[in-house]
Amino acid sequence: MQPARKLEPTEAPKAQKFSLRTPYMKQGRVTQLVAETENMWIHTKINYEGGENEIHCHLDEDHSFIVLEGQMSVFDEKGNEQKIEKYQGIMIPKGAYYRYLNTGKENLVVIRVGAGIKGKAQGGVAMRVRPDGKPLLADSAENKTVPPVEDTRYFADSAG
């Protein structure tokens, strides 16, 4: 099944089916866009180890993580930890600093739902910032990214 596509401005809104089928990882992480509209986007994220390892915030979106498999710990800029178990989630308002780690023994599988400001374009990399205000690229060495290695297995393989 193909990811749901973004509507062109001239198209009438229609409900669109999407799939959560995403490869498990042997190393690193994968973030896969599965659906989006002008004001909301949904990704699957699978982490073999690590997570989003450096403290950052998003200046232009609220978002949440919902754990489907595994467990994660979410930390704020002071190091306070919240443990998120399977079928639990966390809401992260725009401007809230956080980082997360896979704290389980297997792949961490989450749905990430983000929402922007109605009618306002997303600001891109300049809107994902460290506490010092400088951009933090998601797939950077600074964010402790390692080369992703996909497994042969898939989460939600039967979803097509």
Side-chain angles (χ1 to χ4, degrees):
M1 177 177 287
Q2 296 295 319
R5 63 181 178 79
K6 190 171 185 174
L7 293 175
E8 295 300 322
T10 58
E11 291 183 82
K14 296 177 189 171
Q16 296 183 38
K17 183 178 178 179
F18 61 88
S19 171
L20 300 180
R21 186 177 187 267
T22 307
Y24 284 112
M25 304 303 291
K26 290 183 179 179
Q27 174 181 293
R29 63 181 178 253
V30 62
T31 301
Q32 178 174 286
L33 179 67
V34 295
E36 72 178 325
T37 66
E38 180 182 1
N39 302 312
M40 183 171 39
W41 37 98
I42 303 170
H43 292 86
T44 52
K45 294 179 75 80
I46 297 187
N47 296 71
Y48 182 73
E49 74 281 313
E52 292 185 347
N53 292 306
E54 289 302 320
I55 292 289
H56 66 283
C57 75
H58 298 268
L59 300 175
D60 60 350
E61 73 169 331
D62 297 328
H63 65 289
S64 64
F65 294 107
I66 303 152
V67 176
L68 300 179
E69 283 186 6
Q71 67 182 33
M72 68 190 297
S73 288
V74 180
F75 301 89
D76 67 15
E77 71 276 17
K78 295 178 182 175
N80 298 313
E81 178 182 12
Q82 294 187 66
K83 293 180 185 281
I84 313 299
E85 303 289 335
K86 186 175 183 178
Y87 306 131
Q88 293 180 327
I90 188 162
M91 177 64 71
I92 304 173
K94 71 177 179 174
Y97 286 96
Y98 77 97
R99 70 183 180 97
Y100 78 82
L101 291 173
N102 175 1
T103 50
K105 296 180 181 173
E106 298 292 329
N107 279 261
L108 169 65
V109 180
V110 300
I111 294 177
R112 184 193 191 279
V113 179
I117 300 167
K118 187 172 183 171
K120 184 176 178 185
Q122 290 300 107
V125 296
M127 294 290 109
R128 186 180 195 276
V129 299
R130 307 178 314 196
D132 65 6
K134 294 181 181 173
L136 177 65
L137 299 177
D139 292 329
S140 66
E142 180 182 12
N143 202 35
K144 298 180 178 64
T145 298
V146 297
V149 178
E150 292 182 6
D151 198 326
T152 57
R153 302 171 300 134
Y154 283 79
F155 173 77
D157 197 26
S158 63

